[in-house]
Amino acid sequence: MSVHDSKSDPTKEELRDFYHRYVAAANNRDFDTISSLVNDEVTVNDVPHKREDVVAALKGIADVTPDFTWHIEDLITTGDRIAARLRDTGTPTKEIFGEEPTGASIEITEFAAYRVRDGRFVEMWFLMDVASAVQQLGRK
């Protein structure tokens, strides 16, 4: 069975490999690979989106913070679900979270959860510590 087999849930190892492939693609700005891992229709934080929306959002992060890097701190998989705690780092060069860049780097925590079907994300949720990022940029 592979993560692409819709008849049964992928194994924990298959989901781990799938997620590591996704994060590596994001960190390498490999948007073609990311596109191949996201369903045509995907729910993001309970809002319906198209695959292109997800890719555009990731391109936007890379544009604002060219060295933005996702570091997997914890990864839990079960059934068709993935949960991750990430440490996100980078130095914004454009406005981010409503704040102008200050030259300061940010390091924030992100929690994310996903559902995978037929080898693609069909549901994605994320929560980032924006208040910490704003504080690190030297704003209150």
Side-chain angles (χ1 to χ4, degrees):
M1 170 185 29
S2 76
V3 77
H4 300 285
D5 185 353
S6 64
K7 295 179 183 175
S8 60
D9 289 337
T11 67
K12 289 181 178 193
E13 294 76 22
E14 288 168 336
L15 280 178
R16 278 190 204 105
D17 290 346
F18 175 83
Y19 193 68
H20 278 277
R21 206 166 52 246
Y22 168 71
V23 170
N27 286 338
N28 291 321
R29 312 306 188 246
D30 181 354
F31 299 111
D32 289 337
T33 294
I34 291 169
S35 183
S36 75
L37 300 175
V38 178
N39 199 52
D40 292 342
E41 303 282 331
V42 59
T43 301
V44 180
N45 289 345
D46 284 332
V47 177
H49 288 286
K50 302 274 186 207
R51 171 189 303 141
E52 295 79 21
D53 300 327
V54 172
V55 173
L58 290 170
K59 285 181 178 179
I61 291 169
D63 179 54
V64 169
T65 308
D67 64 345
F68 197 93
T69 305
W70 290 265
H71 309 269
I72 300 170
E73 298 290 320
D74 288 309
L75 183 61
I76 301 166
T77 61
T78 186
D80 62 353
R81 295 186 178 263
I82 299 169
R85 180 177 60 90
L86 302 127
R87 181 174 45 87
D88 302 341
T89 60
T91 305
T93 60
K94 297 181 181 177
E95 182 180 314
I96 186 170
F97 307 127
E99 300 291 334
E100 292 297 321
T102 63
S105 294
I106 59 172
E107 181 174 313
I108 58 175
T109 298
E110 176 181 355
F111 291 97
Y114 309 85
R115 178 173 281 171
V116 176
R117 184 181 321 124
D118 298 328
R120 293 185 174 187
F121 292 115
V122 293
E123 296 175 5
M124 306 172 92
W125 297 270
F126 67 92
L127 181 62
M128 300 172 81
D129 188 359
V130 173
S132 176
V134 170
Q135 182 180 25
Q136 291 173 53
L137 290 169
R139 308 281 198 273
K140 297 202 187 248

